[in-house]
């Protein structure tokens, strides 16, 4: 997708009009994760329930009858015409990478693809109204509770017939992460990437810094970085979502995976004393976060690390998009968020969101849309995408990883070695709670005053959740 869209691109859907620029949030392609390593664990909360692997009751088998599994029979071999795609790949690198894939699909199939590219934040904020209006045939989205919710509301069409053809190219973990609560397939994984602490090895070597293994080590390192004139941890939450990653990882470290996913699902309370310990630990970390964070965007914090004004950055691997110079990219590495000396250290939990594609509820050209999905599931397709997009890794089992950059190889390792994996707060919990009037606002309130009395703060948070009522 270039900045000037091709002439076959339709006008933007009225529900999702936006500039074709800005960041590409919570992106992309996934690693081949063995079922032994994370098969039972790669899961996000379902609509009101935590979902775990290996199975969802009533799920259709891979290779079973499409009619029996609830999806209309795919006719990709004879599909023709134009398929429309709603895309949040608005930043230059992923936009160009996706366009290379679309070009290859058009050449191979003869099917034309009309893309409506929308700024990622706007896409996410308006997704509900978009899907209830006149969406494109297929659209980019994420695994997690919100995918399951849209499926349960009938806002996305099942794709069991597609999965009957492609299922053998995905691990059990990815298969399960692609199912709705009814056991049918609604999602096609295309990308996966970890959240971790990113740093410049050249800076660490020049200053004699060591990778922190514990939370105490992290704070000690932060003290030294401040003495050296660096902001220890680049930070910005003007966009509302980056701070969610801090809560998630601190909760995983202190209280473990099960409590975290249950909290996201509403099965645990925000007034639980365990939640209070998360914010207390976060308050300890605040002196090491770059000041003025509420006025700093995601791009700004990546630039701080790039320019060596900050020593570290806890973020997703998409930060690599800021490192456009090959020599800078070669000087970017990461390590897992340090352990905190709890019984949950053994889980080694991380956030590793999965991005991909879904079908709208009533695609105008379903055969062409399914042909596109089948093409996106091929390892060769995902390999083509990653020839230019180096900030995530492929999901298809037969993707060629020999050309991976060192950062991508490290991502494979860290994901495979983690015993518990979550998606991200605004994917793992309900949308009306995670949004601008919910957790975004509550977390920014905490960031503005981390020394505040946490009891009323958490009571307000729980009261807001309770006021939302049941999903659906």
């Amino acid at each position: 997708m270039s900045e000037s869209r091709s002439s076959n691109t339709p006008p933007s859907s009225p529900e999702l009009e936006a500039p074709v620029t800005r960041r590409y949030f919570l992106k992309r392609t996934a690693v081949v994760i063995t079922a032994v390593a994370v098969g039972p664990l790669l899961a996000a909360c379902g609509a009101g329930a935590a979902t775990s692997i290996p199975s969802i009751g009533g799920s259709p088998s891979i290779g079973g009858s499409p009619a029996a599994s609830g999806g209309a029979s795919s006719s990709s071999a004879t599909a023709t015409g134009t398929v429309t795609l709603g895309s949040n790949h608005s930043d230059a690198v992923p936009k160009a990478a996706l366009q290379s894939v679309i070009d290859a699909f058009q050449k191979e199939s003869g099917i034309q693809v009309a893309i409506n590219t929308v700024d990622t934040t706007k896409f996410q904020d308006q997704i509900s109204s978009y899907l209830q209006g006149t969406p494109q045939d297929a659209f980019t989205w994420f695994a997690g509770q919100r995918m399951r919710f849209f499926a349960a509301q009938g806002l996305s069409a099942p794709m069991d017939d597609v999965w009957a053809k492609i299922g053998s190219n995905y691990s059990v973990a990815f298969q399960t992460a692609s199912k709705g609560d009814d056991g049918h397939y609604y999602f096609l994984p295309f990308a996966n990437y970890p959240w971790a602490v990113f740093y410049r090895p050249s800076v660490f070597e020049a200053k004699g810094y060591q990778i922190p293994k514990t939370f105490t080590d992290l704070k000690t390192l932060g003290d030294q970085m401040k003495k050296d004139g660096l902001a220890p941890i680049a930070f910005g939450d003007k966009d509302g979502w980056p701070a969610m990653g801090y809560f998630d990882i601190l909760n995983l470290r202190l209280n473990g995976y099960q409590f975290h996913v249950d909290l996201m699902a509403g099965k645990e309370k925000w007034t639980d004393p365990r939640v209070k310990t998360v914010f207390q630990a976060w308050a300890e970390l605040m002196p090491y976060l770059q000041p003025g964070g509420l006025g700093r965007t995601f791009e700004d914090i990546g630039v701080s690390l790039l320019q060596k004004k900050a020593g570290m950055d806890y973020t997703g691997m998409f930060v690599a998009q800021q490192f456009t110079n090959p020599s800078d990219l070669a000087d970017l590495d990461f390590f897992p968020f340090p352990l905190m000396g709890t019984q949950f250290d053994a889980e080694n939990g991380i956030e590793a969101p999965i991005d991909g594609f879904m079908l709208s509820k009533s695609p105008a050209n379903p055969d062409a849309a399914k042909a596109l999905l089948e093409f996106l599931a091929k390892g060769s397709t995902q390999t083509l995408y990653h020839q230019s997009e180096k900030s995530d890794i492929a999901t298809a089992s037969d993707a060629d990883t020999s050309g991976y950059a060192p950062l991508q190889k490290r991502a494979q390792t860290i994901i495979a070695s983690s015993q518990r994996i979550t998606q991200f707060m605004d994917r793992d919990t309900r949308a009306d709670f995670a949004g601008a009037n919910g957790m975004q606002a509550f977390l920014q309130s905490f960031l503005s005053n981390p020394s505040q009395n946490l009891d009323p703060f958490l009571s307000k948070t729980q009261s807001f959740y309770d006021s939302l009522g049941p999903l659906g």
Side-chain angles (χ1 to χ4, degrees):
M1 288 169 275
S2 61
E3 284 296 329
S4 55
R5 286 177 278 176
S6 61
S7 59
N8 69 341
T9 304
S12 298
S13 296
E15 296 86 356
L16 278 175
E17 292 183 357
V20 191
T21 54
R22 291 183 58 200
R23 76 176 188 280
Y24 177 63
F25 161 56
L26 292 180
K27 305 179 350 326
R28 292 145 311 257
T29 39
V31 65
V32 177
I33 307 176
T34 65
V36 173
V38 296
L41 309 166
L42 181 59
C45 311
T51 305
S52 61
I53 300 199
S55 64
I56 297 177
S59 60
S61 60
I62 295 295
S65 165
S69 62
S73 178
S74 174
S75 303
S76 60
T78 58
T80 59
T82 298
V83 58
T84 57
L85 175 65
S87 171
N88 65 355
H89 289 49
S90 57
D91 276 8
V93 173
K95 186 177 181 183
L98 182 59
Q99 186 63 55
S100 68
V101 166
I102 295 303
D103 290 344
F105 171 72
Q106 292 180 145
K107 181 177 180 180
E108 177 179 300
S109 67
I111 299 169
Q112 296 301 301
V113 181
I115 306 173
N116 177 31
T117 304
V118 178
D119 168 73
T120 303
T121 297
K122 191 143 196 169
F123 193 101
Q124 182 157 324
D125 289 346
Q126 299 184 357
I127 187 68
S128 294
S129 59
Y130 166 69
L131 293 179
Q132 294 176 67
T134 54
Q136 278 72 40
D137 298 332
F139 59 98
T140 56
W141 197 239
F142 321 118
Q145 190 275 340
R146 294 183 72 179
M147 177 274 287
R148 299 180 191 276
F149 175 73
F150 293 142
Q153 294 300 302
L155 297 175
S156 176
M159 56 175 80
D160 298 336
D161 48 346
V162 173
W163 272 92
K165 297 181 179 182
I166 69 170
S168 62
N169 203 25
Y170 284 94
S171 70
V172 172
F174 285 125
Q175 291 177 25
T176 305
S178 301
K179 295 174 184 176
D181 293 328
D182 60 2
H184 295 301
Y185 289 93
Y186 293 90
F187 182 74
L188 177 80
F190 190 76
N192 183 224
Y193 61 96
W195 273 64
V197 182
F198 287 78
Y199 71 102
R200 306 292 299 272
S202 63
V203 172
F204 271 51
E205 182 178 356
K207 301 292 186 180
Y209 300 150
Q210 300 296 314
I211 301 298
K213 302 297 185 183
T214 68
F215 192 60
T216 298
D217 292 343
L218 180 65
K219 292 185 290 183
T220 300
L221 176 59
D223 288 331
Q224 184 59 52
M225 286 182 171
K226 286 198 287 186
K227 292 178 182 178
D228 293 338
L230 291 171
I233 304 174
F235 182 73
D237 195 53
K238 184 177 181 179
D239 302 301
W241 54 267
M244 294 178 175
Y246 281 81
F247 177 85
D248 290 349
I249 192 61
L250 289 170
N251 199 28
L252 285 171
R253 288 287 183 269
L254 289 169
N255 300 315
Y257 170 85
Q258 195 59 53
F259 178 79
H260 180 71
V261 296
D262 286 347
L263 181 66
M264 295 298 103
K267 297 169 69 175
E268 297 285 359
K269 300 292 187 182
W270 286 85
T271 49
D272 189 297
R274 287 173 288 185
V275 178
K276 188 174 183 178
T277 65
V278 174
F279 285 97
Q280 289 171 333
W282 198 349
E284 291 182 35
L285 196 61
M286 285 298 296
Y288 305 102
L289 301 186
Q290 195 173 16
L294 294 183
R296 191 174 296 111
T297 66
F298 160 77
E299 293 92 344
D300 294 334
I301 59 178
V303 170
S304 293
L305 185 66
L306 173 65
Q307 296 179 344
K308 301 183 180 181
K309 295 180 179 178
M312 298 173 284
D313 182 8
Y314 178 67
T315 187
M317 202 165 79
F318 48 81
V319 70
Q321 290 182 356
Q322 305 291 325
F323 289 66
T324 56
N325 186 307
S327 62
D328 286 326
L329 184 60
D331 186 32
L332 179 65
D333 202 351
F334 60 85
F335 54 86
F337 192 91
L339 301 176
M340 301 188 73
T342 71
Q343 61 182 329
F344 304 108
D345 284 356
E347 292 184 350
N348 204 22
I350 63 166
E351 304 229 86
I354 307 170
D355 293 351
F357 299 85
M358 298 178 71
L359 284 175
S360 59
K361 57 184 176 181
S362 300
N365 193 344
D367 287 345
K370 292 174 183 179
L372 175 61
L373 293 176
E374 291 171 19
F375 184 82
L376 292 168
K378 294 165 60 176
S380 57
T381 300
Q382 296 182 16
T383 300
L384 173 62
Y385 181 88
H386 287 93
Q387 287 179 358
S388 55
E389 171 55 284
K390 300 294 186 181
S391 61
D392 50 45
I393 47 183
T395 55
S397 297
D398 64 344
D400 181 2
T401 62
S402 63
Y404 274 180
L407 205 65
Q408 292 170 301
K409 294 177 180 178
R410 289 272 292 121
Q412 285 184 297
T413 301
I414 191 175
I415 292 174
S417 65
S418 299
Q419 301 304 306
R420 296 293 188 276
I421 296 177
T422 54
Q423 293 294 304
F424 197 76
M425 181 184 290
D426 66 357
R427 303 181 185 203
D428 283 342
T429 194
R430 54 191 293 172
D432 50 1
F433 179 64
N437 295 323
M439 282 309 295
Q440 289 187 24
F442 285 113
L443 293 181
Q444 289 183 340
S445 171
F446 168 77
L447 293 170
S448 298
N449 183 16
S451 62
Q452 65 183 279
N453 186 337
L454 292 172
D455 292 326
F457 168 75
L458 294 173
S459 293
K460 290 178 182 177
T461 304
Q462 184 61 47
S463 294
F464 178 78
Y465 188 94
D466 293 340
S467 72
L468 299 174
L471 279 168

